[in-house]
Amino acid sequence: MSTLAALLLAGAAVGWAVHARWLHRRLTTARHDPLTGLWTRDAFTRRARRLLRNPRAVVVLADVDRFKQINDTHGHAAGDALLATVAARLAHGTGPGGIVGRLGGDEFAVVLIDRDGTAADRLHTLARVLARPVDNAPDVHTTVSLGWVRAVDHPSEDLSTLLRRADEAMYAAKRSGRSGPLRAARLGRLLGSVAGRRPGRRGAA
């Protein structure tokens, strides 16, 4: 091989390497929310579906309470700082092996692996942490409503259905003014409750 041919091949290899790195950066940027650094909805969905193969998976929906009021009172920069803080605290509280995504606006989704059966306690602690003021901005704070569901309680349901259940629990918590997370009803308990309301059931009023 001539020296010129070798130089051309080397130059092409360097060019492809630079292009590959550029493409990787573009793809990585597209998969992450620019404000919070969390996974975007599509990227979160792909990874969350894989995590749901684990029977100890827990799906959580989080929504910042009175977010518009924060923006109106303190300005959009303060609102952005609050969202970034919530994102960082959610990521820290999720622990290793879990995933957090920003679905849009002030709504976040989490899939965590409950290895030791302490999800309820962890989420109550997380709710208290999320209610703390933003660092260096003591006036910027609010609560975050959390709804959650264990995948094992709803066998064969997919991610979208589990997210819907967690979403319903989260909004129930928001409406009730609960200070802590609300767990979605177990499938068995829900079916028993429906059966108890069927007309003609023995012993029914």
Side-chain angles (χ1 to χ4, degrees), residues 77-112:
D80 287 350
L82 177 61
L83 291 177
T85 298
V86 168
R89 291 172 180 175
L90 280 172
H92 180 77
T94 297
I99 183 172
V100 188
R102 184 184 180 195
L103 301 186
D106 58 343
E107 188 173 63
F108 302 86
V110 175
V111 176
L112 59 87

Side-chain angles (χ1 to χ4, degrees), residues 13-187:
V14 170
W16 276 111
V18 170
H19 177 73
R21 285 197 298 270
W22 173 83
L23 185 60
H24 176 73
R25 284 196 299 270
R26 288 290 301 272
L27 289 173
T28 301
T29 300
R31 293 170 183 163
H32 287 85
D33 173 60
L35 174 62
T36 65
L38 297 180
W39 296 107
T40 58
R41 179 187 289 269
D42 288 344
F44 167 83
T45 298
R46 287 193 294 271
R47 287 158 179 79
R49 283 174 175 157
R50 292 197 291 268
L51 285 182
L52 286 179
R53 298 170 188 166
N54 190 320
R56 294 173 292 185
V58 171
V59 178
V60 185
L61 254 292
D63 188 85
V64 180
D65 299 325
R66 298 177 294 279
F67 181 65
K68 183 178 184 302
Q69 182 179 332
I70 294 291
N71 273 335
D72 291 345
T73 303
H74 301 283
H76 288 281
D80 287 350
L82 177 61
L83 291 177
T85 298
V86 168
R89 291 172 180 175
L90 280 172
H92 180 77
T94 297
I99 183 172
V100 188
R102 184 184 180 195
L103 301 186
D106 58 343
E107 188 173 63
F108 302 86
V110 175
V111 176
L112 59 87
I113 305 302
D114 186 19
R115 294 183 173 82
D116 52 6
T118 60
D121 292 336
R122 286 171 60 186
L123 291 173
H124 275 84
T125 299
L126 179 59
R128 291 194 295 271
V129 171
L130 292 171
R132 295 174 183 168
V134 172
D135 295 340
N136 303 318
D139 292 335
V140 181
H141 64 92
T142 186
T143 54
V144 177
S145 294
L146 300 173
W148 64 287
V149 58
R150 291 187 186 277
V152 73
D153 290 342
H154 305 275
S156 46
E157 290 192 350
D158 61 9
L159 175 64
S160 61
T161 306
L162 293 171
L163 283 170
R164 188 177 71 245
R165 290 185 181 276
D167 187 64
E168 290 168 354
M170 182 268 293
Y171 274 104
K174 189 182 289 287
R175 288 192 300 268
S176 68
R178 289 173 59 100
S179 59
L182 184 62
R183 180 180 179 181
R186 292 188 183 185
L187 184 59

